[in-house]
Amino acid sequence: QVHLAESGGGLVQAGDSLRLSCTNSGRSFSTYAVGWYREAPGKPREFVARISSSKRVTNYADSMRGRFTISSDNAENTIYLQIDKLRPEDTAVYYCAADQEVILTDTPRYWGQGALVTVSS
C-alpha cells in the first residue's frame, strides 16, 4: 500500500531556502522513481524535478534548474526537494509523485496530498 506524504511547507520570505520531504509510509522508495510537481494559483500543475529508481539520475524542468535540487537519503526512505532563493512566484502546492518505473513518465500512479509553500516578498 503506497501512501505518499509531503512535509516541510510553510510561509517563507523571498530569498529563503526550504526543503520539502516526501515519505512512503515509512517504507523505502528503492523500487520507485519519484518526482516533484507544483501547482501555482491559477496555473496548471507543472513538473519540477524527478529522480530515477536508482536515485542516481535526476532531471529538472528548465525553469527549475539551478534553484531546485531533488535528492534521496541513504536508505531511500525520504525524497527531498531543496528550494533555494525562493521567489514569490514559487508559491504553490508542491506534490510528490512516485511509480514503479525506472524514471517517471507522464502519469505517475501515486500522489501525495501536497504541501503548500507560500513565499512573501
Side-chain angles (χ1 to χ4, degrees):
Q1 185 78 3
V2 177
H3 178 71
L4 305 182
E6 303 93 342
S7 62
L11 176 63
V12 296
Q13 294 185 351
D16 286 352
S17 295
L18 192 68
R19 189 176 73 169
L20 302 175
S21 298
C22 176
T23 57
N24 179 24
S25 300
R27 304 176 67 180
S28 175
F29 284 107
S30 61
T31 63
Y32 292 83
V34 185
W36 287 92
Y37 301 76
R38 73 181 186 184
E39 188 171 335
K43 296 183 178 180
R45 184 173 297 179
E46 63 177 340
F47 165 75
V48 175
R50 64 184 182 180
I51 189 167
S52 65
S53 59
S54 71
K55 313 302 182 292
R56 297 183 63 185
V57 179
T58 59
N59 299 116
Y60 299 89
D62 288 342
S63 61
M64 314 299 171
R65 193 171 291 113
R67 296 190 300 113
F68 292 76
T69 304
I70 188 170
S71 63
S72 173
D73 68 349
N74 290 334
E76 301 181 16
N77 291 328
T78 306
I79 304 298
Y80 302 101
L81 181 69
Q82 175 77 25
I83 314 174
D84 297 319
K85 298 180 179 179
L86 281 155
R87 305 168 180 171
E89 53 263 40
D90 293 324
T91 295
V93 177
Y94 286 76
Y95 296 91
C96 175
D99 207 342
Q100 292 176 309
E101 301 284 349
V102 174
I103 193 72
L104 290 184
T105 54
D106 290 341
T107 310
R109 290 185 183 181
Y110 311 108
W111 292 80
Q113 294 299 306
L116 177 62
V117 175
T118 302
V119 185
S120 63
S121 59

